[in-house]
Amino acid sequence: MPISRRDFSIGAFVGLAAAGSIAGATDTTISRAGRSVDELVGDEDFWRPVQDAFPVDRSYANFNNGSTHPCSAAVIEKICAMYKDINGGKKGPPLQLVEHRKALESVRTQVAEWLGCEQEGLALTPNTTTGLMAAQFGVRLSPGDEILTTNQDYLEMIAAFQQRSQREGVAFRMFDFPTPGPDAQTFIDLCEQQITAKTKVLLLCHVYADTGYVPPVKEVCAMARSKGVITMVDGAHAPGNLDFTVSDLGCDIYASSFHKWTGGPLGSGFLYVKPDLIEQIYPLFPVHPMFGDPGGARKFEKMGTRPLSHIALPPALELHRALGKDLVAARLRYLRDMWARPLSASRLVEFTTNFDKERSSALGSFVVRGRDLTDIKLELQDRFNVIVGYPIGWDWPYGIRVTAGIHTTPEEVAALNDGLRSILSAA
Ligand SMILES: Cc1ncc(COP(=O)(O)O)c(C=O)c1O
């Protein structure tokens, strides 16, 4: 059943779209004009031009934005121009690439300002994986040292440490924590109990991918620091979802992907390394001394010749700046509650998300007692044109994950609710 596009009023921004020039529109045409989060969070007239900035196929409702979020028309336009430049632009690809490398410095300034961290600690990497793994493999460890993480951390980051452990004889240990995630003090205590004299590195997520649990990262980092443990934060799901700054977290290392909640181009992410640690961490791909020190965390960016997707990131940051981190975070929770509240009425549903305000974010997940979750996912897709995330986890499925984005319309949430109601009533 296709989802009909809502009939919205013609505003200045939509007028640009109708005139065929939406790709040239900057997202700064959206402004809060001094209005508060409470005034705007549910004001659908305000959100229509935001939704319309994303030229997505509305014949299906996408609730898997936590994997990769679509880009706005302004970002897509920049991506196309970027690829055209480096594959045959007027100066020829090599010179265009040099220009893009120079232009990255202005992007770095904008990213540092938006994330709230020192510019010299920022490496613009293609994604969370390349950023975090550079630190995971680059941090100096000796046989007998121990690396600690949880069994709800991302499987590939776990695999990276498992490989390091096999190759170098460093110890690697995971500990469990309950689902839905616990209160702040329980989580801090659990981490503290797990740290031993041998522990040198602690990896945790800022937002757990399967359940949306937000651990008390700032407090855990402070506790770990007091014990001389380096903290690595997998922030894949935080920027563009939570209202925070990286420096406030006080972690040593942080990595994320802009192609998730930020709506940046596919292949844009970052690694942050506290400036006083940069020297101690080897890059995955070393820079020849002949080229000199690239400066700060730039040494982690060397990965051979490739498109520099970050060139197309600024319009995504502009849109987030225009909306404000506080409003984006509130709107995403508002959309989450639009499907989670009605679902909580079902006896068959068990949430794997802790919905406490401090411990949750835009992600929500649930299991349906007595039902195969993959069947439900496929039924939503095939019968209702609704896409949700795959239920995967380390030991067991953490649930069907639902992730709306800032482009999501209330009509799309209604389509999800209709689909779930129909499936659950037949269960
Ligand atoms: C918690 C977490 N970490 C890391 C990643 C990897 O992100 P990317 O593929 O953008 O590197 C993901 C992807 O979904 C994730 O959920």
Side-chain angles (χ1 to χ4, degrees):
M1 185 205 313
I3 297 142
S4 59
R5 190 82 172 93
R6 73 262 174 282
D7 182 20
F8 49 75
S9 60
I10 310 286
F13 189 84
V14 179
L16 278 172
S21 56
I22 189 168
T26 71
D27 294 328
T28 47
T29 46
I30 292 156
S31 160
R32 280 170 69 161
R35 284 165 294 172
S36 69
V37 168
D38 285 348
E39 280 173 283
L40 292 177
V41 72
D43 177 351
E44 298 307 328
D45 287 340
F46 174 81
W47 289 100
R48 275 170 204 142
V50 178
Q51 293 151 9
D52 223 52
F54 294 85
V56 293
D57 177 357
R58 303 271 177 189
S59 64
Y60 67 92
N62 171 15
F63 288 94
N64 194 9
N65 296 280
S67 291
T68 47
H69 192 285
C71 296
S72 69
V75 172
I76 293 170
E77 188 191 32
K78 279 211 169 268
I79 294 170
C80 295
M82 189 264 298
Y83 272 95
K84 209 168 149 195
D85 279 358
I86 54 166
N87 289 289
K90 51 183 182 299
K91 292 186 187 165
L95 272 182
Q96 292 289 355
L97 264 177
V98 170
E99 294 214 345
H100 284 184
R101 261 183 229 120
K102 282 190 204 145
L104 266 196
E105 292 312 310
S106 132
V107 178
R108 192 186 316 276
T109 307
Q110 294 176 54
V111 169
E113 191 269 333
W114 187 64
L115 291 171
C117 65
E118 308 93 321
Q119 201 167 313
E120 61 171 319
L122 260 187
L124 300 177
T125 61
N127 45 45
T128 312
T129 307
T130 45
L132 203 54
M133 285 197 189
Q136 289 184 277
F137 285 109
V139 66
R140 294 175 197 203
L141 295 170
S142 311
D145 287 347
E146 183 187 67
I147 302 164
L148 197 58
T149 192
T150 80
N151 66 350
Q152 293 196 34
D153 272 73
Y154 200 61
L155 296 182
E156 278 155 10
M157 309 313 154
I158 288 173
F161 277 145
Q162 283 173 330
Q163 194 189 89
R164 233 194 129 165
S165 172
Q166 280 164 12
R167 288 170 68 170
E168 298 173 47
V170 294
F172 172 58
R173 193 157 54 81
M174 292 184 283
F175 62 93
D176 195 5
F177 66 92
T179 300
D183 64 70
Q185 198 54 52
T186 304
F187 190 86
I188 299 165
D189 292 346
L190 194 56
C191 293
E192 190 160 13
Q193 284 155 19
Q194 295 293 332
I195 291 175
T196 68
K198 291 183 175 171
T199 310
K200 294 289 179 286
V201 173
L202 172 66
L203 166 72
L204 75 163
C205 280
H206 195 177
V207 177
Y208 279 90
D210 295 317
T211 64
Y213 177 63
V214 180
V217 172
K218 185 175 174 169
E219 292 79 0
V220 171
C221 290
M223 178 274 294
R225 173 166 290 247
S226 73
K227 295 175 185 291
V229 174
I230 291 176
T231 45
M232 294 188 180
V233 179
D234 177 344
H237 290 280
N241 171 6
L242 296 180
D243 182 2
F244 75 103
T245 61
V246 170
S247 59
D248 185 54
L249 296 176
C251 55
D252 294 307
I253 284 148
Y254 191 103
S256 188
S257 303
F258 292 119
H259 49 240
K260 292 186 179 288
W261 302 86
T262 312
L266 192 57
S268 63
F270 73 93
L271 166 69
Y272 166 78
V273 180
K274 230 182 186 34
D276 58 7
L277 261 187
I278 294 171
E279 179 64 30
Q280 297 174 44
I281 299 180
Y282 288 109
L284 264 183
F285 305 97
V287 184
H288 195 282
M290 192 185 90
F291 295 111
D293 180 357
R298 287 177 194 82
K299 72 179 187 183
F300 301 110
E301 286 173 7
K302 187 93 177 170
M303 285 172 213
T305 310
R306 62 194 165 93
L308 301 173
S309 299
H310 296 79
I311 294 298
L313 178 63
L317 297 181
E318 260 172 56
L319 177 59
H320 276 267
R321 270 195 301 261
L323 294 169
K325 290 179 187 171
D326 54 348
L327 180 58
V328 169
R331 174 68 176 180
L332 292 173
R333 284 158 193 260
Y334 178 88
L335 292 168
R336 180 201 69 192
D337 291 347
M338 278 175 77
W339 62 264
R341 283 222 173 93
L343 202 58
S344 65
S346 169
R347 289 178 294 109
L348 298 173
V349 168
E350 190 182 330
F351 284 104
T352 46
T353 297
N354 175 346
F355 287 105
D356 177 87
K357 191 164 181 301
E358 296 299 317
R359 306 274 70 85
S360 67
S361 69
L363 286 82
S365 59
F366 59 94
V367 293
V368 179
R369 289 188 199 96
R371 285 292 309 264
D372 183 285
L373 300 183
T374 303
D375 284 352
I376 295 179
K377 178 198 158 58
L378 294 177
E379 201 175 341
L380 279 171
Q381 193 168 309
D382 298 341
R383 282 185 55 210
F384 299 95
N385 283 357
V386 171
I387 314 292
V388 292
Y390 261 110
I392 53 163
W394 179 249
D395 291 330
W396 61 289
Y398 286 105
I400 291 177
R401 186 181 78 175
V402 179
T403 51
I406 52 173
H407 62 86
T408 302
T409 66
E411 289 76 6
E412 288 165 337
V413 182
L416 169 66
N417 289 347
D418 287 348
L420 286 172
R421 198 177 312 114
S422 169
I423 290 169
L424 291 175
S425 66

